Amino acid sequence: ALIVSMLAYNRNYELMISANFIFELSAGGQLYPLAHFRTMPTAHFWGEFSSWEHCKQRIHLWMDVPLLVYWAGSICVEVRLFTAARSLKGSWLGGFRKYFGGWAMLQWLTLASLTAGFIFRAVLFFDPFFRDGYVNPNDGYLELAPLMETWSAMCWADASALLLSCPKFIRFFLYTDTPMRVLSLSLSRAFYKFAFAIGFSFLFLIAMLIMAQQLFGFNMHQFATPGGSLLTLLRMVVGDVDPVYYEMLQVDEGLGVVYFTIFVVLFLFVLTSLFLAITSDAYAMTTGAMEFAEEDQKRREERARARSKKLN
């Protein structure tokens, strides 16, 4: 691969841009051009704390304060829940099994993303370039690309935390008596199986994209690189198959038909049925457990009424 990298800085807008141009000889044998652009504001959001007036102008600092409080409070709550589960089971392993369900795993993934975001913020905050007011401490060439990568990683961590927080809204139905409570319990029960199925699906996609890159990568730019192959296969999964399929037939009609048939049959029929089976099994187990709990509660109430009659 031939890589051309450029970093530019605009003082008027306090904006830095990184441009990377890559000319890659892919595994499929095709020369494939790529371009990546990243922008980062160089204004120090968390800035200096020389005075109260200066701090009041840093709105990004105060926006991070409630997020930090939520992060610390969530860790305390999860530790307390695990301690309660350990006390109930009498051992660390038993407490771990009782506590670490689907929602707990999702919560810790969210907290891990928030932790990564705070770490990247600290790296940017204590960097000498920002700390000293955009001054090069060595009076020589200063490579700012690591700061750009740190900013990009911080954005990825914040986006991941936001994405993981969206399914957690379903958890609130656990505290209601609506039919959505069954959905929340079913998803919690099936979380581990869903994680296994998703991992299995991605392994299947990786195998198929490597195969597509070797078979069609030399003649089709869609399969020239692993990233392009993955994007093309994901588009085929959602039904965007017409242009890609006909180009595959033009390259090799026999291989195109066989590859497309294997991909569609295995992914759309087998793996989709796997997800449906996991959902149905979790729903059946949840409804059965709820019915058993209701019947058990009724039996207890009947026994209590019978005892009260005998005492009377």
Side-chain angles (χ1 to χ4, degrees), residues 51 63-64 98 136 166 194 214 240 256 262:
S51 65
M63 291 175 64
D64 283 340
K98 181 174 179 57
N136 185 0
C166 292
F194 273 128
Q214 296 296 325
D240 188 8
I262 293 175

Side-chain angles (χ1 to χ4, degrees), residues 28-30 212-224 247 250-252:
Q30 186 180 99
Q213 190 176 4
Q214 296 296 325
L215 296 176
F216 309 105
F218 185 77
N219 302 99
M220 297 176 60
H221 69 278
Q222 296 95 329
F223 296 110
E247 290 185 26
Q250 293 177 1
V251 175
D252 193 311

